[in-house]
Amino acid sequence: MRTYLDCIPCFFDQALRAGRIATGDENKLRNLLNEIGAMLRYIPLESSPPETAMLIYEKVREITGEFDPYKQIKKESTKKALALYSALKNEVERSNDKLLTAIRIAIAGNVIDFGVNRDFNIEEEIDEVLKKDFAIFDYEKFRDCLDKTDKILYIGDNAGESVFDRILIEEMKKPVIYVVRKIPVINDVTFEDAMEAGIDKVASILSSGTSAPGTVLKTCNAQFKRVYKDSKFIISKGQGNYEGLSDEKNPIFFLLKVKCWVIANDIGVNEGDIVLKGINI
């Protein structure tokens, strides 16, 4: 997905939000915004939003001196999600369609996104998503591909959300490679975050090698690119991964809650919708 003009104020908002978590120094924050403003003058709109965001969060780290501003927030998100794990597993077990319920739960976890959301109630989100109609519902394709595949590449999104991903991984009952970010960026899931969520118990964990808040293939490492190229069944979670992969040619299922009207417009749905969208299937 390309960058739209409406993405630009969002870049400033994200930078200031992360900056304020990292430091209370107003001079540093002013310097950060000045640097971001100068940078954005030269950003091509043809690039994807995660490409630009990668540069922005590099500036956040450089100017504030804080490598992982969201570290404590991520730990709290994972702790809260783990507290819900048993209840969510029970929800899957008593449902008529366990796979679909697990997909819904994984999408509900996508609300844990501090790049977009400041406030949310995860319990209310779960209740809503379990009942909500899908705006795009490629479930039959998903189930058919799952039956035929012998392995799954699952590209994670956020810390805390990975606990919800774990429930879907367990229900799919196929070998899974779970992809994480190379270094901390916003509250995106890293190797450490995935381990805390127990992903290592249900999947092998692979770093994509990127520091972007989304999967931008040209910034990924060679190992991930090889695995990605060979994968016939890919699950991509969240908005950042959609932004980075929506124009790619591999078979991908995007699972997300749409939290931004720009992305809603790009997909062809409404803000707040839930999506299970397959491409190149």
Side-chain angles (χ1 to χ4, degrees):
M1 187 185 104
R2 73 175 185 88
T3 297
Y4 294 84
L5 290 176
D6 302 270
C7 298
I8 293 174
C10 184
F11 290 141
F12 278 105
D13 183 58
Q14 288 190 46
L16 183 57
R17 193 183 318 160
R20 281 182 167 152
I21 293 171
T23 181
D25 188 326
E26 290 289 318
N27 290 327
K28 287 184 177 180
L29 294 174
R30 178 62 183 270
N31 185 28
L32 173 63
L33 294 180
N34 287 341
E35 291 280 343
I36 298 300
M39 181 192 305
L40 290 175
R41 292 174 60 191
Y42 303 103
I43 293 297
L45 294 180
E46 293 76 23
S47 64
S48 68
E51 290 179 69
T52 302
M54 177 175 65
L55 302 176
I56 287 171
Y57 285 99
E58 285 176 3
K59 280 294 178 186
V60 171
R61 289 189 288 270
E62 174 190 327
I63 291 173
T64 68
E66 178 58 60
F67 182 68
D68 189 3
Y70 287 87
K71 183 174 184 177
Q72 189 56 39
I73 292 172
K74 290 191 295 179
K75 286 185 176 296
E76 291 170 1
S77 296
T78 299
K79 182 179 179 181
K80 187 165 188 177
L82 285 170
L84 297 171
Y85 174 80
S86 294
L88 295 175
K89 287 289 288 184
N90 289 337
E91 188 72 41
V92 171
E93 288 303 315
R94 64 172 176 258
S95 66
N96 293 326
D97 189 331
K98 295 179 182 179
L99 177 62
L100 178 56
T101 300
I103 289 171
R104 286 183 175 276
I105 287 170
I107 291 174
N110 188 230
V111 74
I112 307 174
D113 182 352
F114 289 93
V116 179
N117 286 346
R118 300 173 190 228
D119 299 300
F120 54 85
N121 184 305
I122 190 61
E123 290 90 346
E124 291 179 0
E125 188 69 21
I126 293 165
D127 289 341
E128 178 188 344
V129 172
L130 286 174
K131 302 169 186 174
K132 192 178 182 73
D133 290 335
F134 281 81
I136 299 176
F137 189 50
D138 290 336
Y139 180 54
E140 293 303 322
K141 291 180 182 178
F142 184 98
R143 193 166 58 180
D144 184 55
C145 289
L146 178 60
D147 288 341
K148 293 176 181 177
T149 194
D150 58 354
K151 59 182 178 180
I152 300 163
L153 183 65
Y154 196 122
I155 303 176
D157 191 17
N158 299 309
E161 179 180 350
S162 51
V163 175
F164 296 75
D165 294 336
R166 176 180 163 186
I167 289 171
L168 176 54
I169 291 169
E170 289 170 335
E171 190 55 41
M172 290 189 294
K173 298 178 173 62
K174 294 287 179 78
V176 171
I177 297 173
Y178 189 82
V179 180
V180 298
R181 307 288 189 249
K182 176 184 177 182
I183 63 173
V185 56
I186 325 180
N187 66 315
D188 286 23
V189 61
T190 63
F191 184 87
E192 178 185 352
D193 302 320
M195 291 289 289
E196 289 180 3
I199 292 293
D200 59 306
K201 299 175 183 176
V202 297
S204 57
I205 303 172
L206 173 68
S207 169
S208 64
T210 187
S211 59
T215 303
V216 181
L217 289 179
K218 64 185 178 183
T219 68
C220 294
N221 61 32
Q223 182 183 13
F224 171 76
K225 288 178 182 177
R226 285 195 301 270
V227 173
Y228 175 85
K229 182 180 179 181
D230 293 340
S231 295
K232 305 303 180 186
F233 186 29
I234 301 170
I235 295 173
S236 168
K237 283 296 299 296
Q239 294 190 152
N241 288 324
Y242 171 81
E243 290 170 330
L245 294 172
S246 59
D247 295 325
E248 296 298 330
K249 304 305 179 186
N250 274 47
I252 304 173
F253 286 97
F254 295 103
L255 275 64
L256 68 153
K257 178 170 182 178
V258 181
K259 304 177 287 285
C260 160
W261 78 265
V262 175
I263 292 176
N265 185 63
D266 192 82
I267 297 175
V269 298
N270 295 315
E271 189 174 351
D273 281 344
I274 59 173
V275 170
L276 168 53
K277 176 181 174 66
I279 64 170
N280 309 315
I281 306 302

